[in-house]
Amino acid sequence: MSVRPATFKWVWVSDVRRGLVKRGSLWGFAILGASLLAVALTATASGGEQETSRVPLPHPEIANPGKCVADTEYMRKHHMDVLLRHRDETVHEGIRTKRYSLTNCIDCHASRKNNSVLGTKENFCQACHSYAAVKVDCFECHSSKPEATAGAVFHPIVPSGAKAGPASADQGLALSMQQHMRNGLAATANKNPGGESR
Amino acid sequence: MSEVNTSRRQFLGWGTAAMAGLAIAPGVTLIDLAHGKPDDQPVSSKVRWGMLIDANQCHSGCSDCVTACNKENGLSGGTGPDDSQWIRKMDLKDTHSGRVMSLPMMCQHCGNPPCTDVCPTGASFKRADGIVLVDRHICIGCRYCMMACPYKARSFVAHPVTDQKPGRPRGIGTVEACTMCVERVDAGLKPACVDACAAAGHEAIIFGDLNDPNSDISKRIAEYTTKQVRADLGLDTGVRYQGV
Ligand code: SF4
C-alpha cells in the first residue's frame, strides 16, 4: 500500500533505536548499578572469593565453572550490552547464534538445585541483581528455566582460550555438545562437522 | 611488482565471484531443505515464507493446528476475551446451499501489513523474509495494530504470564500474534500447525517459499485457483486459501 522510501531500512533502524532511547534513563541506572556491582565483584575476585571485609557480597551459584562465552570480567560489565545487541539482531534479522543468546545463558547458568536462574539469592541472575538492587526485566516475558535438555548440562561455546582442559578436548566437547543441542532442537539431523557457531 | 599484484588480485576477485555464483544456487537449495539458513546469517528477502490452506482438506471437527500452536507457543488454549489466540478454527456456512467449510484463520503475514503502518514505536515489523512480528521489547501495548488488522489476528496480553515455555517469550502489556513459528522456521522446520495437520492426515496447510517457483506451495498456487482473504485491501497476504 504505502511506498517505502529507499532508506526505509534506516528509518526503521532509527525507529528501533528510538524505542530503546525511551528507556535510556532506565538503562543508565542499570549500567550505573552494574558498574558498582562490577567494582564490588572485582574486589571479591581479586580477594580469591574470600570476604576479607565485613561487607557482605553476593554468592551466585556457578553451575558450569570456567566455560563462559567471554571473560568473567567482561561479562560482569557488559552482559547487558551484548544481550541487548543480540536481542535486536535475533528478533529483527533472525540471527540465531548461540553466543550471547539469552536462552544459551540460561541453559548454562540455571541452578542445578531449582533448574532456574532465579528463585533464591544464590541463583545466577538474582544473586547480583538483588545485591545491586537492579531490576531485571528479562523474565517478565522470558522463561528463567533452560530449554528441555533431559538433565544434560552442556555448553555449545567454549572459547579457544578456555582454561579447563586441553584445547583439543575442549573442541571435541564443544562439538559434541553442539550436536546434542541440534539433535534436541531439530528433528533434521545436522551434519556440519566444521560448524562452529559464533 | 605492484602491477603484478593488482592483476593477480583482480584475477582472484573474478575467481571468487565466479565461485560464489556457482556455489550460491545449489548451496541455498541445500541449506533451505536441510536446516534453514545458517545461524549467523540474517534472513533475506530472496525468500518469502507463506502458507496455503486448502479448505477442501480441512476437517470441520479437527482443531489439531490450534492445539499444536498453543502447545508450541505456551498459550493457555482459552478462548475468552482475555486469552491469546494465535490461530482460530472457523466453520463458514453458505446460507444458500448449506455447504459448510472449515478453515484456520491467523495472521496473514501481509506483504503490506497495516499493523506496521500504524505502530507508533516500530514494534510491529515485517522481517525481510515476509514474516510479520511484534518486537515485544519495544511494544508499548497501545493496541493500534489490533485495530488496524482486518483479520483480528492479534491478541493483547492483559495479565501477567508465568511459566512461559523456554525460547517462547510472552509477557504482559504487549501484543502478540502468529509468528509463523519463526524459531522453527529459522531452524529449518515447518510451523507447528503445518506439522500437526499433516500428522492428522489432512495436509490442509502447505508451508513454503512463495518466491521459489519450484516450492510445493508455489506450484500449487500456479496450478489451482487460490484466494487471499480480503484481497480487495491489496495487502498481498502470505497466507492463501484454496477451495473457499
Ligand atoms: S500494541 Fe505494540 S505492536 Fe501494536 S501498534 Fe502498539 S506498540 Fe505497535
Side-chain angles (χ1 to χ4, degrees):
Chain A
M1 295 280 272
S2 60
V3 179
R4 308 277 192 217
T7 54
F8 173 63
K9 178 151 192 222
W10 298 108
V11 176
W12 166 78
V13 167
S14 69
D15 270 350
V16 174
R17 301 289 163 221
R18 224 183 299 143
L20 300 177
V21 169
K22 273 189 206 151
R23 300 177 181 181
S25 56
L26 204 103
W27 279 103
F29 279 120
I31 289 164
L32 176 70
S35 322
L36 289 175
L37 183 63
V39 172
L41 289 177
T42 315
T44 351
S46 53
E49 302 297 346
Q50 269 175 20
E51 281 176 32
T52 45
S53 80
R54 285 176 298 160
V55 181
L57 291 168
H59 293 286
E61 177 192 338
I62 312 291
N64 294 293
K67 289 189 183 162
C68 200
V69 296
D71 284 350
T72 309
E73 291 310 313
Y74 179 81
M75 290 308 278
R76 275 177 186 161
K77 260 190 169 164
H78 297 291
H79 63 278
M80 69 298 273
D81 305 328
V82 293
L83 282 171
L84 187 66
R85 189 196 152 101
H86 190 271
R87 163 197 117 170
D88 286 349
E89 287 178 349
T90 303
V91 178
H92 290 267
E93 294 172 31
I95 293 174
R96 293 188 187 273
T97 47
K98 301 282 181 289
R99 189 177 197 179
Y100 301 140
S101 117
L102 180 66
T103 320
N104 201 43
C105 298
I106 295 168
D107 280 351
C108 195
H109 282 296
S111 159
R112 289 166 193 270
K113 288 172 202 143
N114 69 353
N115 199 35
S116 169
V117 290
L118 304 177
T120 71
K121 290 212 166 164
E122 277 165 20
N123 285 72
F124 189 79
C125 297
Q126 195 171 337
C128 302
H129 274 271
S130 65
Y131 178 84
V134 178
K135 190 172 170 230
V136 50
D137 276 342
C138 308
F139 303 105
E140 272 179 27
C141 291
H142 289 272
S143 171
S144 64
K145 299 192 162 63
E147 289 193 300
T149 51
V153 178
F154 58 85
H155 199 298
I157 313 288
V158 179
S160 48
K163 278 167 219 135
S168 57
D170 263 349
Q171 208 156 33
L173 184 66
L175 279 176
S176 74
M177 287 187 291
Q178 233 178 333
Q179 208 76 42
H180 182 100
M181 183 160 211
R182 288 219 176 92
N183 291 345
L185 191 75
T188 43
N190 185 351
K191 301 259 157 52
N192 187 10
E196 267 296 304
S197 55
R198 233 190 332 153
Chain B
M1 191 63 189
S2 68
E3 219 173 283
V4 172
N5 274 348
T6 317
S7 60
R8 184 169 169 270
R9 269 186 204 147
Q10 197 161 40
F11 171 73
L12 284 177
W14 288 334
T16 329
M19 291 257 293
L22 285 177
I24 276 173
V28 163
T29 318
L30 215 149
I31 284 167
D32 281 348
L33 290 178
H35 45 79
K37 61 166 190 61
D39 281 348
D40 58 349
Q41 294 301 311
V43 291
S44 129
S45 55
K46 290 196 186 90
V47 177
R48 165 111 197 256
W49 295 121
M51 294 204 243
L52 175 63
I53 293 163
D54 185 352
N56 297 321
Q57 307 283 349
C58 180
H59 285 224
S60 174
C62 173
S63 60
D64 284 10
C65 52
V66 181
T67 316
C69 177
N70 293 340
K71 182 159 174 273
E72 175 68 27
N73 297 294
L75 309 179
S76 71
T79 55
D82 283 2
D83 293 311
S84 285
Q85 289 178 267
W86 291 13
I87 178 169
R88 294 177 170 95
K89 263 307 291 289
M90 329 179 61
D91 285 341
L92 306 178
K93 189 172 176 184
D94 184 331
T95 43
H96 288 293
S97 64
R99 178 182 173 241
V100 177
M101 64 185 152
S102 188
L103 47 84
M105 257 325 256
M106 69 288 240
C107 172
Q108 304 286 295
H109 297 279
C110 308
N112 305 308
C115 53
T116 66
D117 284 345
V118 299
C119 180
T121 64
S124 279
F125 70 101
K126 187 180 69 164
R127 241 170 53 143
D129 58 3
I131 301 182
V132 176
L133 296 171
V134 181
D135 182 346
R136 283 163 285 184
H137 301 106
I138 301 174
C139 175
I140 54 171
C142 68
R143 290 165 263 180
Y144 283 4
C145 53
M146 291 176 66
M147 297 288 163
C149 177
Y151 306 104
K152 207 183 171 189
R154 289 198 163 175
S155 305
F156 179 69
V157 184
H159 303 290
V161 186
T162 52
D163 254 346
Q164 291 90 336
K165 215 182 134 185
R168 299 293 184 280
R170 298 182 58 228
I172 184 172
T174 61
V175 162
E176 57 184 20
C178 160
T179 62
M180 225 187 246
C181 286
V182 69
E183 300 88 351
R184 291 171 61 98
V185 171
D186 283 349
L189 301 174
K190 292 176 183 169
C193 56
V194 178
D195 280 353
C197 188
H202 300 146
E203 306 212 349
I205 316 177
I206 298 176
F207 168 81
D209 179 6
L210 294 169
N211 282 351
D212 173 6
N214 295 319
S215 64
D216 283 353
I217 185 168
S218 296
K219 285 187 202 155
R220 279 275 283 269
I221 289 176
E223 195 174 343
Y224 299 100
T225 309
T226 60
K227 281 187 189 155
Q228 305 182 30
V229 177
R230 290 302 308 272
D232 56 314
L233 297 172
L235 301 178
D236 179 23
T237 60
V239 179
R240 318 267 164 135
Y241 289 82
Q242 180 182 345
V244 294

